[in-house]
Amino acid sequence: MKTIQFACNHAPDFNQFDTLIVPVGQQGTLPSLASELPQYAALASLVHDLFESGDFLGKVAKTLLLVRPAGFDVQRILLVGMGDLATLSVKNTLSALKAAADALDHCGTVNALNACVLVNPNETNQAWSVQQNAQVFQKSFYDYAHESRGATPLKDPKLNTMTFTCEATAQNLAAVQQGQATALGMALTQELANMPSNFCTPSYLADTAVQLGNEYGFEVTILEREQMIEMGMGSFMAVAQGSHTPPKMICLSYKGSDAQTAPIALVGKGVTFDTGGISLKPGEAMDEMKYDMGGAATVLGVFKALGQLKPDLNVVGVIPATENMPSGNAIKPGDVVTSLSGQTIEILNTDAEGRLILCDALTYTQQTYHPAKIIDMATLTGACIIALGHHVSALMGNNQALVNDLLSAGLATYDRFWQMPLGEEWDEQLKSNFADMANIGGRPGGAITAAQFLARYTKDVPWAHLDIAGTAWVSGANKGATGRPVPALVQYLMQQARG
Ligand code: BES
Ligand code: MN
Ligand code: ZN
């Protein structure tokens, strides 16, 4: 993906730009910009006139593109409605920025090459603002471009440079960098998730990890079926036995801190297609089960961002990747398997496969890397969508400090999480007469009982679980991967690195 050159300059010469991007409040006012900005008075009176005439009211996410505006040297001015500037919410800011990016029309007609975005120099949340600007504009370049589409991409983004009118402080520059790296990570996550499962196989995910390793110097190890059977990953291998496509355990390690520091581990569900297995899913919208590797794609997207940002941290990524297929060799309801941890599982429903592959990955991660914390992410349950819908990911964990840090990272990036409870009352729903536990806990609290299952494999480490079933992709006319929860996780990790 083409990258934008970002810069911060608190008093740039406007002649060097072809496009000015100007946020406008709902009273037809500019943010209280520094007087040192050239043509401030002319801009303010232009915006005021447009408000008086009713042509531009500054409503949230409305835009107006002025071409060759009289009295200005720039080719075009893009006015962006921000709503009430006094109570500017995170949500409104982001939708306004998305509208601004859309208005630059990457499908071809607007030739904005060098843009300048007016940022209020007095804004207390200036770093946040430039971070979101960089993220939204860079992310707007993403277009599903894989050869499997059989057509050339629709987008042809022209923007080369974007300058923010604020001081080039270390904090602002770091924020811009984080926003851009987040967008590049999200684009990788989206691309992998959007690819059909006949292209995006476990081997393809493994190859992607190897490529990232070559590009950024991560250590990458891939475990094969025979090795994993040998090691005793009876639960993961039970899911994988129904598929001819070879399963992989994909491990990446980023070392940005000293060797003694225990890493933060990210574990992502990589079911490249979930048919349900013998407990076959109904046909409607089954194509969307290509997105069941959204957790895996998130881990790879976060690693892409880590490669760009190089924070002072150690991070490992572990991805159990397989298809979940019905076949003559597939696991059957009632089968009992032994997980790597030694705990036995009665598989009452082969469609609850995510927890079966994650439990072995969680045990393997602890045995191999002795992490300080584990965060897993998975498109784990339909029940999560019933409980929370599509706007927040479910968050559960055994350590409230870790949960709180993730909640605030989610709020800062508007990639939100909502905590759900854990407790022994729900854990009891996993009781089995034939093994240490069943792999399902019935319909009540389905997202919680799935997490309760994982909690049995993470007793000795601070652990958090993200159920991203409702947030990793959108259905309907705009069907596609969202790149979530890359923004919140990058924010969390950068916050950890800052200490
Ligand atoms: N990948 C699905 C969860 C899912 C379903 C995510 C729909 C997004 C949209 C998962 O493997 C699954 O099938 N879960 C079952 C669990 C049940 C059998 C206990 C579910 O949610 O129905
Ligand atoms: Mn399933
Ligand atoms: Zn699944």
Side-chain angles (χ1 to χ4, degrees), residues 2-131:
K2 174 176 169 177
T3 53
I4 305 172
Q5 294 292 318
F6 290 107
C8 295
N9 182 346
H10 73 289
D13 175 3
F14 280 179
N15 287 322
Q16 66 190 100
F17 308 112
D18 55 34
T19 306
L20 275 189
I21 300 178
V22 181
V24 179
Q26 72 182 4
Q27 281 81 32
T29 49
L30 296 175
S32 50
L33 296 159
S35 51
E36 63 209 79
L37 278 179
Q39 297 187 302
Y40 174 65
L43 264 180
S45 104
L46 173 72
V47 165
H48 177 75
D49 289 352
L50 287 167
F51 183 82
E52 289 295 311
S53 65
D55 287 306
F56 192 73
L57 302 174
K59 294 212 168 104
V60 179
K62 297 283 182 204
T63 60
L64 182 65
L65 187 65
L66 303 170
V67 180
R68 292 187 176 279
F72 293 87
D73 294 328
V74 290
Q75 282 287 317
R76 61 189 75 76
I77 295 177
L78 177 62
L79 302 179
V80 184
M82 305 298 291
D84 187 356
L85 291 172
T87 60
L88 203 55
S89 70
V90 176
K91 175 174 184 281
N92 285 353
T93 306
L94 287 177
S95 56
L97 291 178
K98 286 197 184 90
D102 283 350
L104 292 190
D105 181 23
H106 298 313
C107 296
T109 50
V110 181
N111 280 312
L113 307 180
N114 305 307
C116 177
V117 180
L118 269 59
V119 178
N120 187 344
N122 303 319
E123 252 178 284
T124 48
N125 58 354
Q126 194 178 86
W128 182 87
S129 172
V130 292
Q131 178 179 325

Side-chain angles (χ1 to χ4, degrees), residues 376 378-381 384 392-396 447 450 465-471:
D376 80 72
T379 49
L380 203 59
T381 65
C384 177
V392 298
S393 308
L395 167 58
M396 286 148 272
H465 160 66
L466 294 168
D467 194 331
I468 58 172
T471 52

Side-chain angles (χ1 to χ4, degrees), residues 269 274 281 289 292 349 351 353 379-382 440 469 473:
K269 172 180 173 181
D274 182 9
K281 285 184 179 297
M289 283 299 112
D292 212 17
N349 190 321
D351 198 11
E353 85 297 342
T379 49
L380 203 59
T381 65
I440 53 172
W473 76 93

